[in-house]
Amino acid sequence: AQRVTQPEKLLSVFKGAPVELKCNYSYSGSPELFWYVQYSRQRLQLLLRHISRESIKGFTADLNKGETSFHLKKPFAQEEDSAMYYCALWGYSTLTFGKGTMLLVSP
Amino acid sequence: DAGITQSPRHKVTETGTPVTLRCHQTENHRYMYWYRQDPGHGLRLIHYSYGVKDTDKGEVSDGYSVSRSKTEDFLLTLESATSSQTSVYFCAISAQGAGANVLTFGAGSRLTVL
């Protein structure tokens, strides 16, 4: 079975502070991991995927197979980053989501 | 927007009544999914389809059925709605294949069962 764990329900930071949203996974095969974001009153959208190794809106995430982690990081948070963030794992033709972390960035 | 629409967007119904949610896509994607979103639970997969008339169960399929009679439509039915099925339901589509395991989501359908 595949599992995604996001230990923090809520992460509250001030503008300009670094952000790290934690994600750990459990999967027997070769993992394919994603971060999705849901801004207030908007649909869920892809933020980034590990195979792309890209930075989107200043966010990066590195897959660490040894620690089975895929943490999302941003060096300087902006107010517009406030949203719900979901880590997700692809396997067996489906996407399994973590429970999500709400990021609140205060001015 | 993104070639995927859900209807209805909002529905209030009573316990014991049947409810059908519709997902329509214009992308000709093979895979379609229904998730429910609940506070503290994130998104959980209900059912998915990998082709016309081909469906499979997800993590929380009890009390739900699905049908896909054509590529573009994927219906989710609650035969007899219960209060525990009050939720926001999201449909998603995926082309799948090498490098294409990305889901595109609909805007969601908010269902309230009284």
Side-chain angles (χ1 to χ4, degrees), chain A residues 34-38 42-47 86-90 94-98, chain B residues 1-6 9 23-25 27 29 31-37 42-47 88-95 101-109:
Chain A
F34 304 80
W35 278 98
Y36 281 78
V37 60
Q38 188 177 29
Q42 295 187 26
R43 66 183 69 193
L44 218 69
Q45 57 187 282
L46 177 68
L47 180 62
Y86 292 98
C87 183
L89 169 67
W90 182 268
T94 64
L95 200 61
T96 298
F97 287 86
Chain B
D1 188 2
I4 176 171
T5 55
Q6 294 183 228
R9 294 290 315 282
C23 179
H24 178 78
Q25 62 146 329
E27 304 295 320
H29 283 347
Y31 285 76
M32 298 184 75
Y33 304 81
W34 277 108
Y35 286 86
R36 58 178 289 175
Q37 182 184 43
L43 281 90
R44 293 177 292 175
L45 181 65
I46 305 172
H47 282 280
V88 181
Y89 292 85
F90 285 96
C91 177
I93 60 175
S94 171
N101 295 331
V102 174
L103 264 58
T104 300
F105 284 84
S109 295

Side-chain angles (χ1 to χ4, degrees), chain A residues 26-37:
Chain A
S26 174
Y27 184 57
S28 58
S30 182
E32 187 172 355
L33 286 143
F34 304 80
W35 278 98
Y36 281 78
V37 60

